[in-house]
Amino acid sequence: MSILVSVPVVTYNAAEFVEETLESIFNQTHQNIQLIVSDDCSKDDTVAVVEKWCNQQRVKDRFADIKILTVPQNTGVSANVNRAIKACLSNWIGMVAGDDVFLPNKVKDNMEFVRDNPDAQIIFSQVKVYQDTFEEKNYIKSVPSSYPNNLMDQSFGAEDQYKLLLLSDRIQYTPSYFFNKQALEKVGGYDECNRLVEDYPMWLKLTHSGEKLYYFHKATVGYRMHSNATNNNGQDVLIKPSVINSFLARKKYAHPHLPKLLVLEENWTYNIAIIFKKMGITKKTKLNEILYKFSTVYANPFFYCNSIVKKIN
């Protein structure tokens, strides 16, 4: 029998999409799978949809184990992910959001990579991005489009990756994440104080601990862009939620290890974003974009200081 792999589905208000996610796990070519659904107190019918789907005899026969986890109140993404991981029976875990899908060979491809790369504990692969539905007519792009030549360069070790991640989160293919449970336990799991930005702090913790991030260039996951997504940035919003949320994560995990001038430059940008929001300048118009760029870049004194330091160095 093949090695058991745990597949947690983390959900919040995913009733419209979660059945498609579950079917994609059901249709995996790898057979020995534990299914976990961890719901963060959805306000819609997500749990009811999941329970109905899991109660089918074909589903019970398909999986080695099925667990449905619920909580009485919303706790945030990080806490939801921690609960899901804790329930995993296998050390090997492929996690998926309740509005995305696994491509049929997702688990098989990752386990083959593990077999061929015994040191790999944290693995990424390519992600296919779609708008609203996973129909070819709605396909947008695959990320990364080509084999990464920076963060995931095969010659880089964990320390190299850590230094690059301190500058910015360079992993836009997070949905492909496949990992060993013990590696996350060693760094204390996800930071539950950060309710919305769970991934970037984890990449920093892992690489700082000496855990190299691995990658293979093959699509394994379908990512859905839609208006109801928890991390939806919106098309007509000037100040995206990620600007605020990412700054708070960087302030805690990255800023203590960065040059003072770079921290001051980021602080300036963050404060401008807060001022714009308080003034109600939030709609993405051409004039507002020009004003925002001027305020965060050209009027940012630390931007010029950093440029001078870079040239000197």
Side-chain angles (χ1 to χ4, degrees):
M1 180 180 287
S2 58
I3 296 173
L4 178 69
V5 175
S6 296
V7 179
V9 184
V10 288
T11 60
Y12 179 68
N13 293 342
E16 181 180 356
F17 308 117
V18 69
E19 188 169 348
E20 190 171 10
T21 303
L22 295 169
E23 287 289 346
S24 76
I25 302 167
F26 182 95
N27 291 322
Q28 286 298 295
T29 52
H30 185 94
Q31 290 303 305
N32 197 9
I33 293 176
Q34 177 199 20
L35 174 66
I36 299 161
V37 180
S38 185
D39 184 76
D40 199 19
C41 196
S42 290
K43 297 176 181 178
D44 64 5
D45 295 328
T46 298
V47 175
V49 171
V50 169
E51 289 177 339
K52 181 179 179 181
W53 188 87
C54 289
N55 280 329
Q56 298 176 81
Q57 191 58 49
R58 70 181 182 96
V59 173
K60 293 177 181 179
D61 294 340
R62 165 67 178 90
F63 294 105
D65 180 64
I66 299 174
K67 285 185 172 68
I68 301 174
L69 312 176
T70 60
V71 286
Q73 61 183 21
N74 184 265
T75 59
V77 179
S78 297
N80 195 22
V81 170
N82 279 340
R83 285 193 299 274
I85 293 173
K86 187 177 180 179
C88 292
L89 298 177
S90 172
N91 278 330
W92 288 109
I93 300 172
M95 191 172 294
V96 60
D99 51 0
D100 297 333
V101 295
F102 277 2
L103 300 185
N105 290 325
K106 156 72 178 181
V107 176
K108 176 177 176 289
D109 287 340
N110 275 275
M111 291 308 296
E112 287 180 352
F113 186 86
V114 167
R115 181 197 64 200
D116 297 337
N117 299 270
D119 291 332
Q121 304 291 298
I122 309 296
I123 304 162
F124 297 90
S125 48
Q126 200 176 39
V127 174
K128 298 181 73 173
V129 181
Y130 294 81
Q131 182 65 51
D132 295 323
T133 67
F134 295 108
E135 300 173 277
E136 282 309 307
K137 66 178 183 180
N138 291 333
Y139 169 78
I140 300 174
K141 61 181 178 180
S142 292
V143 290
S145 57
S146 59
Y147 189 87
N149 58 4
N150 51 15
L151 185 68
M152 295 297 180
D153 191 297
Q154 289 184 346
S155 67
F156 282 4
E159 184 179 358
D160 303 309
Q161 293 176 328
Y162 175 68
K163 290 176 180 178
L164 286 168
L165 285 166
L166 280 176
L167 298 175
S168 66
D169 183 359
R170 297 158 183 257
I171 303 178
Q172 286 78 48
Y173 32 94
T174 294
S176 68
Y177 182 38
F178 191 87
F179 60 95
N180 189 289
K181 182 178 182 179
Q182 293 178 336
L184 267 67
E185 290 176 338
K186 288 178 182 177
V187 297
Y190 286 85
D191 180 4
E192 297 187 11
C193 294
N194 197 320
R195 291 172 57 91
L196 296 175
V197 183
E198 80 282 12
D199 292 322
Y200 180 52
M202 178 56 74
W203 312 150
L204 287 173
K205 289 167 69 174
L206 286 165
T207 52
H208 191 237
S209 74
E211 197 67 64
K212 174 182 166 68
L213 310 181
Y214 286 76
Y215 173 87
F216 64 91
H217 194 57
K218 183 177 181 180
T220 62
V221 173
Y223 175 78
R224 188 197 310 262
M225 295 180 61
H226 61 95
S227 59
N228 295 327
T230 303
N231 61 348
N232 175 52
N233 291 327
Q235 298 299 316
D236 59 349
V237 177
L238 180 66
I239 313 295
K240 297 181 179 180
S242 59
V243 172
I244 308 299
N245 297 331
S246 296
F247 174 83
L248 296 175
R250 285 185 57 73
K251 183 179 180 180
K252 180 175 181 179
Y253 285 95
H255 285 183
H257 309 283
L258 289 173
K260 187 66 175 179
L261 277 177
L262 185 56
V263 173
L264 290 170
E265 183 180 345
E266 291 191 16
N267 284 340
W268 179 283
T269 301
Y270 171 76
N271 289 326
I272 292 296
I274 295 298
I275 291 171
F276 269 57
K277 289 195 74 172
K278 287 183 176 179
M279 293 176 63
I281 308 175
T282 56
K283 191 168 181 61
K284 189 176 181 180
T285 65
K286 192 66 177 178
L287 178 61
N288 287 347
E289 285 184 290
I290 293 172
L291 183 60
Y292 184 68
K293 184 172 183 178
F294 174 81
S295 302
T296 57
V297 179
Y298 301 115
N300 187 339
F302 306 109
F303 169 76
Y304 298 102
C305 292
N306 271 319
S307 297
I308 293 170
V309 170
K310 287 177 183 177
K311 286 183 179 180
I312 293 173
N313 290 336

